[in-house]
Amino acid sequence: RLLEEDAVDTLKKELLPIATVITPNIPEAEILCGMEIHTEEDMVAAAKAIYEDLGCAVLLKGGHNINDANDLLYTKEEVSWFKGKRINNPNTHGTGCTLSSAIAANLAKGFDLKISVQRAKDYISRALADMLDLGAGSGPMNHGFAIRGEY
């Protein structure tokens, strides 16, 4: 846990409502919505509850034994699933931060939210699939896999 318990309310009242999109994983979403998440249906219910509470789009990241690597985007307009395939790479340090940064970068480039999420997922998948292996433990993915490519 990276945030003190008493700071969650401040985060929910002050910061998250001004976001365009938030990207919680399953354990983070459980804290934000106050419910347990065990199924894809639970993911939809949790994302809806978070959206209604905070008023910003929610990209609820899958995994955590619920699905392969499928993420759910909940917006005012629609619910969209972004299918993914788990890549057997132990070097996953920073994937959540990279995903949210890639979404922000694509929004800054002028892409809409749905396209930005898809491009970010594609980037993460390709960076993981490159199988960079540095150091010991859970190292980083290869952010430079497409230094001159489409990203």
Side-chain angles (χ1 to χ4, degrees):
R1 191 175 176 120
L2 298 176
L3 186 65
E4 295 293 327
E5 187 80 32
D6 60 354
V8 173
D9 283 338
T10 302
L11 183 71
K12 287 174 69 173
K13 289 177 186 169
E14 303 294 331
L15 183 61
L16 299 182
I18 63 173
T20 298
V21 60
I22 60 172
T23 60
N25 60 32
I26 299 295
E28 292 165 341
E30 289 178 332
I31 291 169
L32 290 174
C33 71
M35 66 177 276
E36 291 186 4
I37 302 170
H38 300 287
T39 66
E40 289 186 351
E41 292 79 17
D42 292 344
M43 287 178 69
V44 174
K48 179 181 182 192
I50 294 167
Y51 172 82
E52 289 175 350
D53 186 35
L54 302 177
C56 60
V58 179
L59 179 67
L60 181 46
K61 298 180 293 187
H64 290 87
N65 298 322
I66 290 180
N67 56 38
D68 198 24
N70 301 329
D71 300 335
L72 169 72
L73 178 63
Y74 192 101
T75 68
K76 180 180 180 181
E77 295 80 26
E78 66 183 318
V79 173
S80 303
W81 283 97
F82 293 84
K83 302 294 183 178
K85 184 174 182 175
R86 187 167 305 282
I87 296 167
N88 190 20
N89 183 341
N91 297 307
T92 58
H93 186 76
T95 53
C97 296
T98 300
L99 178 68
S100 60
S101 296
I103 292 168
N106 280 288
L107 289 170
K109 290 178 182 179
F111 293 104
D112 69 26
L113 180 57
K114 196 170 176 180
I115 300 269
S116 294
V117 169
Q118 185 61 63
R119 287 175 57 88
K121 274 195 68 81
D122 291 346
Y123 175 83
I124 291 284
S125 294
R126 291 188 54 202
L128 285 168
D130 200 58
M131 303 305 276
L132 180 66
D133 192 21
L134 296 176
S138 179
M141 67 197 105
N142 187 4
H143 289 92
F145 76 93
I147 201 79
R148 291 191 167 96
E150 63 185 283
Y151 301 100

